């Protein structure tokens, strides 16, 4: 499916509360910001969308750079940056406040990036199809 469906749970009943449908390809991964207010959504076409969950609206669809399916997303603990990893072997660090700002780690994992996770203020861990686990010290895009 190319949409993300939002639901609420009151302890006994699941109710659909919204639909986010700006992606054009099948959804392959997603991540909520630490406060739950933002949702980053990656798709099989290499596109990323950033949504405001409360308003159920697109913040930006301009996080572009991947040329293959996005396999992994994670928000920085501060919520102002996100990291993505994809089948194209690259890792990108994105700015929430300035969507056109990004940092890149090209060719991070041969065969594709399967997992990314922040493990500190400026450190990202990645795992790839090449059976490697790496850590990266990064400068956050401002």
């Amino acid at each position: 499916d190319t949409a993300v469906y939002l639901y609420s749970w009151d302890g006994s009943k699941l109710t659909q509360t919204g639909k986010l449908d700006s992606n054009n390809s099948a959804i392959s991964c997603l991540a909520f910001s630490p406060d739950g207010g933002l949702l980053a959504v990656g798709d099989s076409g290499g596109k990323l969308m950033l949504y405001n969950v409360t308003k159920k609206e697109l913040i930006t669809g301009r996080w572009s750079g991947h040329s293959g399916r996005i396999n992994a997303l994670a928000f920085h603990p501060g919520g102002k940056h996100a990291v993505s990893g994809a089948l194209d072997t690259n890792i990108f660090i994105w700015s929430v406040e300035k969507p056109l700002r990004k940092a890149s780690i090209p060719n991070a994992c041969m065969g594709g990036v399967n997992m990314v996770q922040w493990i500190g203020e400026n450190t990202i861990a990645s795992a790839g199809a090449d059976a490697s686990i790496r850590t990266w010290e990064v400068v956050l895009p401002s």
Side-chain angles (χ1 to χ4, degrees), residues 31-34 40 63 72-85 91-96 101-105 115-127 134-142:
F32 282 96
S33 62
W63 282 0
L73 286 168
F75 270 91
H76 185 274
K80 294 184 179 184
H81 294 88
V83 60
S84 61
I91 293 173
F92 289 105
I93 300 102
W94 309 94
S95 171
V96 169
R101 302 272 185 163
K102 69 180 175 192
S104 64
I105 304 170
M115 184 280 301
V116 290
Q117 183 63 49
W118 293 94
I119 57 172
E121 280 296 309
N122 294 84
T123 306
I124 296 167
S126 68
R134 295 182 174 93
T135 58
W136 309 92
E137 293 296 320
V138 299
V139 176
L140 299 175
S142 55

Side-chain angles (χ1 to χ4, degrees), residues 44-112:
S44 60
K47 301 293 182 205
L48 277 165
M49 303 293 172
L50 180 65
Y51 295 96
N52 178 310
V53 176
T54 305
K55 296 179 181 178
K56 297 171 187 64
E57 66 185 24
L58 181 68
I59 294 172
T60 187
R62 300 183 82 179
W63 282 0
S64 61
H66 287 295
S67 61
R69 181 184 66 237
I70 299 171
N71 292 330
L73 286 168
F75 270 91
H76 185 274
K80 294 184 179 184
H81 294 88
V83 60
S84 61
L87 187 61
D88 65 7
T89 75
N90 301 315
I91 293 173
F92 289 105
I93 300 102
W94 309 94
S95 171
V96 169
E97 293 176 340
K98 297 181 181 176
L100 296 178
R101 302 272 185 163
K102 69 180 175 192
S104 64
I105 304 170
N107 304 311
C109 300
M110 289 178 44

